[in-house]
Amino acid sequence: MAGYILRRLLLMIPTLIGIMAINFAVVQFAPGGPVEKVIAKLQGTDIGATDRFTGAGADLGGQSPDQMSGEAITSKYRGAQGLDPEFIKKLEKEFGFDKPPLERFGLMLWNYARFDFGESYFRSISVIDLIKEKLPVSISLGLWMTLLSYGISIPLGIAKAVRDGSRFDVWTSFVIAVGYAVPSFLFGILLIVLFAGGSFWSIFPLRGLTSEGWSAMAWPERILDYFWHMALPLLAMATHAFATTTLLVKNSFLDEIRKQYVLTARMKGLSERKVLYGHVFRNAMLIVIAGFPGAFIASFFAGSLLIETIFSLDGLGLLSFESVINRDYAVVFATLYVFSLMGLVINILSDLTYMWIDPRIDFESREV
């Protein structure tokens, strides 16, 4: 057991390096960058998601474009004509682009191994503090969404398996198919239009997780206010996951119900409830439990990115989106590293959960 865990932990190292290397290479060939971002800001042509240029990249030495000396120059940066070459070199040094790509990548890996993410390019705050500030929102959203979808999907999937082919199974399958077909972000936009002051009713708030003055409320009011803000984002995220998990539970239970040991248990005179929950449930739930980490990580990646952006929830998803638009690569790679590391760790935990549910599983004889 200890040997398996050690192998998995060691395998995380090349996996993380591969993920970071691929994305680092993509960024090298992608148009634009933080230097171009500052130049566009100077020229008045910036169309980024935010204007929070308060960090290193905003330090222009008190100069405006028309105050910078130097004749028009040929530069690799679009829009840099007319700017002082020394100013461009200063920007490159501030952003770390005065070093070769391989040296920058090696330095980034060394710093990330020590959880030193540096400072944001365009915000006066360290990246680690920025992640700590946004992480609770994304964890809260992902955790509640996963618990909600599983809380509905498991009993519904069992009911569909027991009533396979019945009228109940048919009409619930139709509802599930619709939920599976509609993307969560599209359903979220529909909820905003209908219930958040879009065109019909203004029942739920559109921004944030709490109202103003939340800290002064009594604790029951705080809880109600929190879930009042979470209602639409959770509903939008859970719809697609709920459909997927329900079908997974149903098919898993159907597969177990048709096995020989279930027929033997029935022939011994055990009640249907005893057979279902005493024998079938443990075996059928293995594959469902295995999907729990994937569902949580999926909500963290796609769910938090899209839903947080649509509902203006200030979490890691919205932070990642703004950082990509603003070319704040320090934050982009740090959030990618955190997401990837969490995904790999949770996958290991899912394997350990397998063993806890079914001790017959032997990790020592399993090849990684």
Side-chain angles (χ1 to χ4, degrees):
M1 182 64 182
Y4 172 77
I5 296 176
L6 180 61
R7 291 198 303 271
R8 288 293 299 270
L9 291 175
L10 293 176
L11 186 61
M12 287 172 55
I13 298 175
T15 304
L16 278 173
I17 293 176
I19 293 173
M20 301 304 295
I22 292 173
N23 287 273
F24 186 85
V26 170
V27 166
Q28 303 310 304
F29 296 100
V35 176
E36 289 89 339
K37 191 73 178 177
V38 174
I39 293 173
K41 186 71 175 179
L42 289 170
Q43 304 292 355
T45 59
D46 177 42
I47 55 173
T50 60
D51 290 324
R52 288 177 275 192
F53 287 88
T54 57
D59 183 12
L60 309 178
Q63 295 176 298
S64 62
D66 54 351
Q67 291 174 321
M68 296 178 187
S69 62
E71 300 177 354
I73 59 173
T74 302
S75 173
K76 62 180 178 180
Y77 300 110
R78 180 180 299 178
Q81 286 77 10
L83 298 182
D84 190 343
E86 293 300 321
F87 174 73
I88 300 297
K89 291 181 179 179
K90 179 183 177 182
L91 284 179
E92 290 180 335
K93 185 175 182 179
E94 288 183 1
F95 292 126
F97 291 111
D98 57 330
K99 301 179 180 67
L102 287 179
E103 183 179 347
R104 285 190 282 121
F105 180 69
L107 183 61
M108 181 182 70
L109 291 181
W110 170 247
N111 290 333
Y112 282 14
R114 297 178 290 120
F115 288 90
D116 178 10
F117 300 121
E119 289 196 359
S120 169
Y121 288 166
F122 303 121
R123 307 169 194 241
S124 298
I125 185 174
S126 66
V127 176
I128 190 66
D129 290 336
L130 197 58
I131 291 176
K132 289 179 180 178
E133 179 185 330
K134 312 296 183 182
L135 189 59
V137 176
S138 297
I139 290 180
S140 176
L141 195 62
L143 185 61
W144 281 116
M145 187 282 297
T146 307
L147 292 176
L148 177 63
S149 64
Y150 270 69
I152 297 174
S153 300
I154 291 176
L156 180 59
I158 295 174
K160 286 176 64 62
V162 173
R163 299 173 177 83
D164 184 41
S166 66
R167 181 177 298 179
F168 171 81
D169 182 42
V170 172
W171 72 260
T172 52
S173 295
F174 173 76
V175 175
I176 290 172
V178 174
Y180 184 80
V182 178
S184 58
F185 73 91
L186 188 61
F187 187 54
I189 294 174
L190 176 62
L191 292 176
I192 291 175
V193 173
L194 291 177
F195 303 112
S199 300
F200 294 87
W201 302 280
S202 182
I203 301 174
F204 295 95
L206 182 58
R207 295 178 179 272
L209 288 181
T210 56
S211 303
E212 293 184 8
W214 182 81
S215 58
M217 299 178 182
W219 69 265
E221 294 177 332
R222 291 185 184 183
I223 295 175
L224 290 175
D225 182 76
Y226 171 75
F227 283 106
W228 181 47
H229 283 76
M230 290 283 283
L232 295 187
L234 284 178
L235 184 59
M237 291 179 66
T239 302
H240 188 81
F242 145 79
T244 305
T245 310
T246 301
L247 292 177
L248 178 65
V249 172
K250 177 191 174 182
N251 293 332
S252 179
F253 270 80
L254 282 178
D255 184 58
E256 290 295 324
I257 288 173
R258 294 164 182 166
K259 289 184 177 179
Q260 184 64 38
Y261 75 90
V262 176
L263 179 60
T264 303
R266 287 171 176 167
M267 291 177 64
K268 289 181 178 180
L270 296 179
S271 64
E272 194 66 25
R273 184 179 182 83
K274 184 69 173 179
V275 172
L276 184 63
Y277 293 101
H279 295 272
V280 175
F281 185 82
R282 186 179 67 176
N283 295 326
M285 286 299 294
L286 279 174
I287 191 172
V288 179
I289 291 174
F292 186 91
F296 182 74
I297 292 300
S299 68
F300 233 74
F301 281 94
S304 64
L305 175 61
L306 297 173
I307 298 301
E308 287 179 16
T309 303
I310 293 172
F311 288 94
S312 299
L313 300 176
D314 198 13
L316 280 181
L318 183 60
L319 174 65
S320 301
F321 171 75
E322 291 182 344
S323 300
V324 170
I325 297 299
N326 288 330
R327 303 299 192 270
D328 195 345
Y329 292 149
V331 179
V332 171
F333 285 114
T335 53
L336 174 66
Y337 182 83
V338 170
F339 279 141
S340 303
L341 183 61
M342 289 184 62
L344 293 172
V345 171
I346 289 180
N347 282 333
I348 295 177
L349 294 178
S350 69
D351 284 348
L352 300 181
T353 307
Y354 259 126
M355 187 200 67
W356 177 67
I357 295 294
D358 190 351
R360 296 172 299 176
I361 298 177
D362 183 12
F363 283 103
E364 292 296 335
S365 61
R366 177 179 174 182
E367 295 293 334
V368 178

